[in-house]
């Protein structure tokens, strides 16, 4: 069965520091991978997605993620964090064959120190 | 262009009651998916509607049912509410088969349901 693991429940970084949020998935074939962000009281906003092609994906708000098949990972990165990036981040995986659903990880809460 | 809208924003019910949540998809979208997000967890897929039919269902009991209308809006119904049904219910819309055509699901702000 598919699964998504986000090993870090909370991460705290200083404003201006770099950020990496980890995501590992379990799936036999090439998955479709997504990162969403959720601010308090709001729905999920798509940051970026990977379907195929270049394994380094650029997203909105200066985020990027790299698909590494050998490590079954899709880590999210940002070179310089802003206070407004504080939120909950979710990695999700999807597959084409008869399933139209997204499987989400349990999320990583990002706290930003001033 | 309005995004995905959901109503109500908050709801309080008691055990055993029934609840109906509503979702209007993003303009131009014809597919609606529902997710349940318990506190501290990631969203879990409930089901998806396309062309007024349930196309895919997650691991949720029959107490959870839905409907899609000709204008693509959708309702989620939950019968015989349990305390464990307390969660944020998210609606997402997309155009057609999201993975086949590399479409994106857009999420609404959710309905926060509290069951007492």
């Amino acid at each position: 069965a598919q699964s998504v693991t986000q090993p870090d429940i909370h991460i705290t970084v200083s404003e201006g520091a770099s950020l990496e949020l980890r995501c590992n998935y379990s799936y036999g074939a090439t998955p479709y991978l997504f990162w969403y962000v959720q601010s308090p009281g709001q729905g999920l906003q798509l940051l970026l997605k990977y379907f195929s092609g270049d394994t380094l994906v650029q997203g909105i708000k200066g985020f990027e993620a790299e698909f590494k098949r050998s490590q079954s990972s899709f880590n999210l990165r940002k070179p310089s964090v802003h206070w407004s990036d504080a939120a909950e981040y979710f990695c999700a995986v999807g597959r084409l064959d008869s399933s139209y659903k997204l499987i989400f990880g349990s999320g990583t809460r990002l706290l930003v120190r001033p | 262009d309005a995004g995905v809208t959901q109503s109500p924003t908050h709801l309080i019910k008691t055990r055993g009651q029934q609840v109906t949540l509503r979702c209007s998809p993003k303009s131009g979208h014809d597919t609606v998916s529902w997710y349940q997000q318990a506190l501290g967890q990631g969203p879990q897929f409930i089901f998806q509607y396309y062309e007024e039919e349930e196309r895919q269902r997650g691991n949720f009991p029959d107490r959870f049912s839905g409907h899609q209308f000709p204008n693509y809006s959708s309702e989620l119904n939950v019968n015989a509410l349990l305390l464990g049904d307390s969660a944020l219910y998210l609606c997402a819309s997309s155009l057609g088969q999201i993975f086949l055509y590399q479409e994106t699901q857009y999420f609404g702000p959710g309905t926060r349901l509290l069951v007492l």
Side-chain angles (χ1 to χ4, degrees), chain A residues 29 40 47 56 59 61-63 71 73 76 78 96 102 107:
Chain A
L47 288 175
L56 185 61
K61 303 184 179 186
F63 286 94
Q71 299 176 20
S73 70
L76 182 71
K78 186 170 185 179
L96 174 61
L102 292 176

Side-chain angles (χ1 to χ4, degrees), chain A residues 32 34 36 38 41-44 46 49 51-52 90 94-96 98-102 104-106, chain B residues 35 37 40-43 45 48 55-56 58 88 90 97-100 102-105 107-109:
Chain A
Y32 301 118
F34 306 81
Y36 282 86
Q38 185 176 40
Q42 298 193 14
L44 299 170
L46 180 69
K49 58 187 178 183
F51 283 89
S52 63
F90 292 95
R95 48 190 280 182
L96 174 61
S98 76
S99 295
Y100 306 95
K101 61 185 179 184
L102 292 176
F104 284 86
S106 55
Chain B
Y35 291 80
Q37 186 179 15
Q41 300 295 319
F45 177 80
Q48 184 176 86
R55 184 162 62 175
Q56 182 78 14
L88 179 68
L90 295 165
Q97 299 179 45
I98 58 170
F99 303 136
L100 182 62
Q102 300 191 9
E103 289 289 330
T104 297
Q105 276 192 336
F107 283 81

Side-chain angles (χ1 to χ4, degrees), chain B:
Chain B
D1 176 26
V4 180
T5 59
Q6 293 185 243
S7 63
T9 55
H10 296 82
L11 206 50
I12 300 175
K13 292 287 188 177
T14 57
R15 280 177 297 175
Q17 284 189 310
Q18 178 264 345
V19 68
T20 297
L21 310 182
R22 295 176 177 83
C23 171
S24 292
K26 182 177 168 63
S27 177
H29 285 182
D30 57 6
T31 302
V32 173
S33 302
W34 287 92
Y35 291 80
Q36 180 195 65
Q37 186 179 15
L39 200 61
Q41 300 295 319
Q44 283 196 301
F45 177 80
I46 302 175
F47 42 53
Q48 184 176 86
Y49 277 84
Y50 173 70
E51 292 187 339
E52 302 181 48
E53 290 190 0
E54 183 182 293
R55 184 162 62 175
Q56 182 78 14
R57 188 178 184 92
N59 189 25
F60 279 81
D62 292 344
R63 299 186 298 109
F64 290 77
S65 63
H67 187 77
Q68 186 178 36
F69 298 93
N71 67 352
Y72 307 123
S73 67
S74 177
E75 289 182 349
L76 165 65
N77 300 292
V78 187
N79 294 322
L81 284 167
L82 304 173
L83 296 180
D85 295 331
S86 296
L88 179 68
Y89 288 85
L90 295 165
C91 171
S93 75
S94 56
L95 179 62
Q97 299 179 45
I98 58 170
F99 303 136
L100 182 62
Y101 301 111
Q102 300 191 9
E103 289 289 330
T104 297
Q105 276 192 336
Y106 291 86
F107 283 81
T111 294
R112 175 78 61 188
L113 172 64
L114 177 61
V115 182
L116 301 176

Side-chain angles (χ1 to χ4, degrees), chain A residues 20 22-27 29-31 33 35 50 53-57 64-77:
Chain A
E20 182 169 27
R22 296 183 291 165
C23 173
N24 292 96
Y25 64 89
S26 171
Y27 176 52
T30 300
L33 296 161
W35 275 99
Y50 172 79
D54 193 347
T55 56
L56 185 61
V57 180
E64 67 176 27
E66 186 171 12
F67 170 56
K68 293 186 177 180
R69 184 191 304 273
S70 61
Q71 299 176 20
S72 296
S73 70
F74 189 58
N75 294 347
L76 182 71
R77 300 194 296 249

